[in-house]
Amino acid sequence: MQNLLDLDRPAMVEWFRARGEKPFRAQQVLKWIHQQGVDDFAAMTNLSKPLRESLATAACIRGPQVVADQRSADGSRKWLFQLHDGNRIESVYIPEPERATLCISSQVGCALNCSFCSTAQQGFNRNLDTAEIIAQLWTANRLLAADGEPPVSNVVFMGMGEPLLNLDNVLRAVHLMQDDFAYALSKRRVTLSTAGVVPGLQRLARESDISLALSLHAPDDTLRDQLVPLNRKYRIAEVLQACKDYVGEGRRRVTIEYVMLAGVNDSDTQARALAKVLRQVPSKVNLIPFNPFPATRYRRSSAERIDRFRDILYGAGIVTITRKTRGDDIDAACGQLAGDFEDRTRRRQRLSIEVTGGAA
Ligand code: SAH
């Protein structure tokens, strides 16, 4: 049975065509699913009754089960989703006066093993499929609508996983986010965050125009090798060049994410070194106060240190903001997403593939 959440518009058109139906049926159904949040063909009143009945025998519209729905004192909200195979992933909703951002996951766990990230502790299990990625947005909007709250206006791929290592499925989900018959989000409102997978960045540049964030976290390769092991494969200069190519002439700036770790990457010298490496790429910096998790060896930089670091970057002409910590009372802040799964055996396997370059 075909889950229609798995199909972007071209795939949906093809699916209807193969059933002998007109392409515009695909557009009608996309609107019912993604704009009205409908999961029942009987509710699709602009389709004939026989068509609704035949769809109900051949297809379904099924998102993951919501197994926890937690609200933070600051208004943010975290959903824990259970997938069909028992794996669990998390998404975080962050309302602000002018927008409502949903932070979504692209993989169950993550293979990159960044030393300051709690998702890394979980290891890697598998990629999410298109339906599992888009269903995070679909379900969020259904739950928000039920509460009379405004729908999601911005999506960031900053939850669990490395989106550029699951690019086929991420791109199909992005097509739906940007499709006028689905979520119609502009390129400014969809941001992909990456640890710097260079071939993925190059492909993204060819196939998408969404906003880009790079998790840099260190101004030099020696330190970045320790914080982001992927750096041993793709060095800072190469990653920044790929980001520069991505934003291109007249396009926007790349957001540089920099987690503030006390005594590790937060000195004045490192701020000046960061300003220097960023000269080569149109960028703005987001400083992220480190969010602790059990058994971490890191501590968050003090507020004074973060301000000082920001002032040095600012003085060098770089737009810099400190990301407000949201949802930390429910472990929903950056780097605190964990989800849950059983099989961790593939973690070592995947990491060695990524870092040694033996990927097929
Ligand atoms: N794999 C992608 C997207 C997921 S992480 C990437 O690396 O960009 C989203 C952001 O949260 C990244 O910038 C990541 O480095 C940051 N992050 C991870 N752990 C964190 C922690 N404990 N505290 C603060 N930020 C963290």
Side-chain angles (χ1 to χ4, degrees):
M1 183 163 282
Q2 175 68 51
N3 186 357
L4 296 188
L5 286 176
D6 215 33
L7 306 180
D8 62 5
R9 178 139 56 106
M12 186 85 85
V13 166
E14 191 42 49
W15 191 80
F16 273 88
R17 201 193 306 278
R19 296 179 58 79
E21 299 289 343
K22 294 273 185 320
F24 76 91
R25 296 291 177 204
Q27 299 172 2
Q28 290 177 314
V29 170
L30 277 172
K31 281 187 160 189
W32 280 115
I33 297 173
H34 296 289
Q35 296 185 356
Q36 307 297 329
V38 160
D39 64 354
D40 179 2
F41 295 105
M44 301 184 179
T45 47
N46 57 357
L47 307 184
S48 72
K49 196 142 179 278
L51 176 57
R52 282 182 259 161
E53 282 167 2
S54 87
L55 286 176
T57 62
C60 62
I61 303 157
R62 195 179 301 138
Q65 200 190 331
V66 180
V67 288
D69 179 348
Q70 283 175 280
R71 284 166 205 262
S72 161
D74 67 25
S76 53
R77 195 165 164 186
K78 182 171 82 168
W79 290 292
L80 178 65
F81 295 106
Q82 178 148 321
L83 310 176
H84 61 84
D85 59 0
N87 281 316
R88 294 173 166 199
I89 56 160
E90 294 181 326
S91 316
V92 180
Y93 170 73
I94 308 147
E96 290 172 283
E98 309 270 294
R99 61 182 169 202
T101 303
L102 187 70
C103 176
I104 64 171
S105 297
S106 57
Q107 299 180 314
V108 181
C110 187
L112 295 186
N113 212 15
C114 298
S115 58
F116 52 87
C117 179
S118 101
T119 304
Q121 316 280 309
Q122 300 273 316
F124 174 76
N125 184 278
R126 68 168 173 86
N127 284 332
L128 297 182
D129 64 26
T130 304
E132 290 164 337
I133 297 170
I134 204 67
Q136 296 171 65
L137 175 56
W138 180 74
T139 308
N141 277 348
R142 278 160 54 96
L143 295 172
L144 292 167
D147 290 349
E149 288 178 58
V152 171
S153 66
N154 293 60
V155 175
V156 295
F157 282 89
M158 294 183 188
M160 298 162 62
E162 169 49 54
L164 292 185
L165 293 179
N166 183 18
L167 199 45
D168 288 340
N169 295 329
V170 164
L171 279 173
R172 276 192 287 267
V174 164
H175 293 153
L176 282 167
M177 290 168 194
Q178 297 194 288
D179 197 312
D180 285 343
F181 291 97
Y183 299 91
L185 300 180
S186 76
K187 60 188 178 184
R188 276 184 188 70
R189 294 181 179 275
V190 181
T191 302
L192 182 146
S193 177
T194 179
V197 184
V198 169
L201 279 166
Q202 291 163 342
R203 180 171 165 211
L204 190 69
R206 289 192 300 272
E207 299 187 27
S208 171
D209 60 358
I210 56 175
S211 303
L212 180 66
L214 173 71
S215 295
L216 188 60
H217 307 312
D220 62 86
D221 284 314
T222 311
L223 179 58
R224 195 164 191 266
D225 282 350
Q226 292 168 32
L227 301 178
V228 182
L230 182 69
N231 196 67
R232 296 175 206 151
K233 184 163 178 190
Y234 305 113
R235 317 302 282 163
I236 291 177
E238 196 191 345
V239 172
L240 288 178
Q241 182 61 47
C243 289
K244 187 177 174 190
D245 294 343
Y246 185 84
V247 293
E249 291 296 315
R251 276 171 111 177
R252 292 141 302 149
R253 288 175 291 189
V254 49
T255 299
I256 302 294
E257 295 165 284
Y258 196 97
V259 62
M260 295 299 289
L261 305 169
V264 174
N265 67 353
D266 64 349
S267 71
D268 289 1
T269 313
Q270 286 161 321
R272 285 190 287 269
L274 179 62
K276 202 168 161 203
V277 298
L278 291 183
R279 261 186 230 146
Q280 61 167 298
V281 42
S283 52
K284 58 185 177 209
V285 173
N286 266 9
L287 299 178
I288 314 176
F290 171 67
N291 295 304
F293 50 89
T296 179
R297 70 185 113 126
Y298 297 111
R299 285 175 303 115
R300 178 185 293 183
S301 308
S302 69
E304 299 73 48
R305 186 88 300 273
I306 297 176
D307 286 352
R308 170 83 184 137
F309 199 93
R310 181 200 58 204
D311 289 345
I312 292 172
L313 291 173
Y314 213 78
I318 297 171
V319 176
T320 307
I321 63 151
T322 303
R323 193 178 285 177
K324 250 201 286 168
T325 298
R326 298 283 303 259
D328 54 344
D329 53 339
I330 54 169
D331 286 344
C334 304
Q336 293 187 318
L337 300 190
D340 194 15
F341 58 89
E342 310 283 313
D343 174 14
R344 282 162 206 189
T345 52
R346 290 173 67 191
R347 167 180 177 171
R348 191 176 298 277
Q349 181 196 334
R350 290 297 294 216
L351 185 65
S352 69
I353 288 170
E354 293 320 326
V355 174
T356 60

